[in-house]
Amino acid sequence: MHGTIPPAAAEAPFRLPRFGYLHCFWGIQKREILRFLLQRGRFLSTLVRPLVWLFIFAAGFRSVLGVSIIPPYETYVLYEVYVTPGLCAMILLFAGMQSSLSMVYDREVGSMRILLTSPYPRWYLLASKLVAGTTIAVVQVYAYLAIAYWWEVEPPPIGYLVALPAVFLSGLMLGSIGLFVSSLIKQLENFASVMNFIIFPMFFTSSALYPLWRVKESSLLLYYICTLNPFTYTVELIRFGLHAKIDAPQSWADFVAMFTAMGKANALDPFAGDHPAFIALLVVVTTTALFMGLAILAYDPSRGLIGRRGGPEGAAS
Amino acid sequence: MIETAGRTAGAVVPAIEVAHVSHAFGARKALDDVSLSVPQGAFVALLGLNGAGKTTLFSLLTRLYDNVTGRIAIMGSDLRRRPTEALGRLGVVFQARTLDPDLTVLQNFTYHASLHGLSRAEGRHRAERLLARFSLADRLNDKVRSLSGGQARRVEIARSLLHDPRVVILDEPTVGLDIAARQDIVSLVRRLVDEDGLSVLWATHLFDEVRPADPIVLLHKGRVLARGTTPDLCAQAGEPSLAGAFRKITGTPTEEAA
């Protein structure tokens, strides 16, 4: 009854449909968009959060916290202007964790199983899902920027265009962290701890609310934590993007100089070189690759944690 | 939909081949050296109580978990080495509902179609054809939430056929349905086997869903305790009914084996 299995005789070889990869990618995007349109409350809450920070927190802080002229700014800027890239990154951070939450939800309600029984490679399915979640987050960021414009946050028009890939890449990075986190969370209730242990520490130990030189003045330890936090680099990438100040090193020597400059300041400063935005870009791309790789490993049935640990509730019966 | 000519190959390549598969969650062994075979065009009943390991086996068959020991092949394609070929020919109906309740029936279908590389137009075309066959054509644009339990199940079965699989596995598809809806689902799936030559692995703990001539695989506490048709099992246990044979073979008290 169950000896060795002979090759499939009289069976036409299996072929995936033409343009199947594209249809699969677009289908996943479409479902995320449909789900997003169904949850208008989610859109409003993600928009309200940074706006509250902008209208209330930033308004209160502008008199207390002076921001000196630091790149990419060429003049003194309002605190609202300073804090806007951080709030854009905050939207992406929440969206990334939200998609992580929806992955856990999908696992519990079973739609994740439908996704994972697709014949397409699992890395492709996960990457498609990541891009879908990020696209929606980018729309939210631009909705926020449109409202912030009426609040005197007026980056140069070209900045909106240059910031687009920066925002998208940052969204991918935070989404890939979320994807990895989703593979670690077994149940939906654990999301509260994600808030406490990921979102808040990431946001507060970054350059989102205060420039790094100010953090360094008050605590060198906190400063180092900030420089190790990948969220800092998404904030800076968006900041430089919004002011259309992203430039790459022109030569190999220039590239090396970027790194040697880091150690020349009195404390290690990743942004000390001539191309701080490029450093931010490097860190964001590397972190995305790292966490995407980890998420793919975690969701891979042969290596992943899911099968070993018992997977979704009830699946082991 | 599926040409009956495929049956001629049944003698050579089984639709599903599970050979010496074990799976453990930590120290707890969920499956212990399980082997079974579903010939092409056959309706095979996987009979077992809750906790027998049916869902774990389904998770392995769908590659949600990896089969580390033993070997699983769908239509001759090894699930580990050629997952694309294996999964592309497999239709699945999970025990838990997997339709998105907030989307319409059509949206659920086109999403599933895209996961198998089909265009939206092709997905829609196939959805219309399948739903007409399942007497659900008028529910195409309704939200899944508005369907009755039986209708939702029929929609799920129709969806599992969307990519023209040769094999469909169903994990307790009638759980939670009333008697009329249950009979409806069972006869629907049997029609697919009889008319289209579809191969089916049907997991259940309900004896009345099994016909005397159906091959049965009796799974209990992660082990296959018996194989054969109802008369085979009755003869093996020396009991007149399948329920009696099941109780005797598994050693379960009367009230547990419904």
Side-chain angles (χ1 to χ4, degrees):
Chain A
M1 192 170 175
H2 30 74
T4 51
I5 299 164
E11 179 72 26
F14 180 80
R15 292 259 180 280
L16 286 167
R18 242 176 119 211
F19 306 121
Y21 273 88
L22 277 177
H23 291 313
C24 180
F25 176 79
W26 178 235
I28 293 172
Q29 310 302 306
K30 210 169 159 208
R31 176 175 182 260
E32 290 294 306
I33 294 167
L34 276 174
R35 284 212 64 87
F36 179 72
L37 292 176
L38 286 168
Q39 299 171 327
R40 288 191 197 99
R42 184 177 136 196
F43 180 67
L44 278 179
S45 75
T46 45
L47 210 54
V48 163
R49 197 180 299 116
L51 287 174
V52 165
W53 278 81
L54 182 71
F55 295 161
I56 301 168
F57 179 86
F61 258 54
R62 70 196 282 185
S63 52
V64 185
L65 200 81
V67 179
S68 69
I69 303 171
I70 47 159
Y73 307 116
E74 285 158 355
T75 58
Y76 282 100
V77 291
L78 287 175
Y79 186 64
E80 283 89 335
V81 174
Y82 178 82
V83 90
T84 282
L87 295 179
C88 290
M90 178 205 239
I91 297 174
L92 298 171
L93 178 63
F94 270 93
M97 295 308 138
Q98 184 83 42
S99 66
S100 148
L101 170 79
S102 80
M103 293 284 272
V104 179
Y105 171 80
D106 278 1
R107 269 211 321 259
E108 285 193 0
V109 300
S111 49
M112 181 65 132
R113 292 175 161 217
I114 290 299
L115 178 76
L116 297 182
T117 50
S118 161
Y120 289 93
R122 210 157 277 192
W123 68 263
Y124 185 76
L125 300 170
L126 291 174
S128 299
K129 201 142 166 97
L130 179 62
V131 170
T134 305
T135 307
I136 285 163
V138 170
V139 172
Q140 291 171 327
V141 166
Y142 276 83
Y144 161 78
L145 284 173
I147 298 172
Y149 183 83
W150 303 107
W151 209 256
E152 296 178 65
V153 180
E154 301 167 2
I158 185 76
Y160 288 102
L161 198 66
V162 178
L164 184 61
V167 171
F168 192 80
L169 271 174
S170 302
L172 281 184
M173 187 196 94
L174 296 165
S176 66
I177 294 177
L179 206 58
F180 176 64
V181 169
S182 80
S183 71
L184 301 178
I185 308 175
K186 200 165 173 180
Q187 276 172 311
L188 218 49
E189 296 90 80
N190 298 343
F191 193 64
S193 43
V194 173
M195 297 280 287
N196 284 331
F197 292 108
I198 298 178
I199 294 185
F200 291 134
M202 271 185 103
F203 184 66
F204 287 112
T205 62
S206 75
S207 57
L209 297 178
Y210 344 91
L212 284 179
W213 66 266
R214 267 201 177 263
V215 179
K216 188 159 46 174
E217 273 181 359
S218 49
S219 161
L220 197 60
L221 176 68
L222 188 61
Y223 168 77
Y224 280 125
I225 293 172
C226 290
T227 58
L228 289 174
N229 179 0
F231 188 75
T232 296
Y233 298 87
T234 65
V235 173
E236 293 309 310
L237 187 61
I238 296 169
R239 192 187 307 286
F240 281 89
L242 270 177
H243 289 83
K245 293 270 173 62
I246 295 183
D247 54 352
Q250 299 301 309
S251 66
W252 182 244
D254 207 8
F255 184 80
V256 175
M258 225 169 44
F259 292 95
T260 48
M262 288 182 190
K264 284 184 181 153
N266 57 353
L268 195 70
D269 180 359
F271 300 113
D274 290 337
H275 308 286
F278 192 75
I279 287 284
L281 181 70
L282 277 182
V283 173
V284 168
V285 170
T286 313
T287 313
T288 308
L290 175 73
F291 279 94
M292 192 60 204
L294 286 172
I296 288 165
L297 278 183
Y299 277 97
D300 183 332
S302 58
R303 280 175 290 248
L305 307 155
I306 293 182
R308 227 170 286 161
R309 192 188 51 194
E313 287 303 295
S317 62
Chain B
M1 172 191 322
I2 291 161
E3 68 288 350
T4 41
R7 286 183 182 193
T8 52
V12 188
V13 184
I16 299 176
E17 183 82 6
V18 175
H20 308 294
V21 166
S22 300
H23 194 80
F25 297 110
R28 194 172 65 82
K29 219 164 193 186
L31 289 177
D32 188 5
D33 195 26
V34 168
S35 294
L36 64 91
S37 173
V38 177
Q40 284 195 40
F43 181 103
V44 174
L46 180 67
L47 200 59
L49 300 176
N50 295 333
K54 300 191 296 286
T55 303
T56 303
L57 181 62
F58 270 61
S59 296
L60 290 169
L61 282 170
T62 51
R63 210 169 165 261
L64 200 63
Y65 311 155
D66 195 36
N67 66 311
V68 181
T69 57
R71 169 176 159 79
I72 296 174
I74 313 284
M75 297 299 293
S77 298
D78 187 292
L79 190 58
R80 283 194 93 180
R81 276 183 286 153
R82 302 170 73 186
T84 302
E85 284 91 332
L87 291 175
R89 287 178 169 129
L90 180 73
V92 191
V93 177
F94 288 109
Q95 184 177 355
R97 300 270 159 84
T98 53
L99 293 165
D100 193 327
D102 297 322
L103 303 185
T104 66
V105 172
L106 179 64
Q107 285 166 343
N108 269 287
F109 272 67
T110 48
Y111 173 59
H112 185 86
S114 67
L115 291 181
H116 286 267
L118 300 169
S119 69
R120 191 187 132 74
E122 180 65 22
R124 191 193 169 96
H125 172 69
R126 291 188 187 195
E128 284 170 350
R129 201 183 57 194
L130 280 165
L131 287 173
R133 190 168 174 201
F134 283 37
S135 319
L136 284 163
D138 55 331
R139 307 307 300 263
L140 193 67
N141 293 309
D142 291 348
K143 288 248 167 88
V144 166
R145 203 179 282 289
S146 71
L147 302 178
S148 71
Q151 286 171 333
R153 265 308 183 200
R154 273 191 289 161
V155 166
E156 272 192 282
I157 294 171
R159 185 185 60 174
S160 75
L161 299 171
L162 203 61
H163 56 286
D164 264 346
R166 306 296 310 273
V167 195
V168 175
I169 58 174
L170 304 99
D171 189 5
E172 307 232 21
T174 58
V175 158
L177 301 182
D178 61 41
I179 187 79
R182 266 181 58 200
Q183 283 170 349
D184 189 33
I185 300 280
V186 176
S187 59
L188 184 78
V189 173
R190 287 200 179 271
R191 221 169 58 222
L192 294 168
V193 174
D194 297 337
E195 293 173 10
D196 300 350
L198 197 71
S199 319
V200 166
L201 180 66
W202 177 280
T204 185
H205 66 274
L206 300 163
F207 302 116
D208 60 355
E209 290 177 358
V210 183
R211 280 186 193 163
D214 291 335
I216 299 169
V217 176
L218 200 160
L219 192 67
H220 187 68
K221 293 185 178 165
R223 296 181 66 91
V224 174
L225 295 188
R227 286 189 195 84
T229 59
T230 301
D232 295 339
L233 263 57
C234 290
Q236 188 186 329
E239 289 281 338
S241 69
L242 179 60
F246 182 87
R247 280 192 289 270
K248 191 145 184 198
I249 294 169
T250 58
T252 40
T254 319
E255 61 274 14
E256 261 192 68

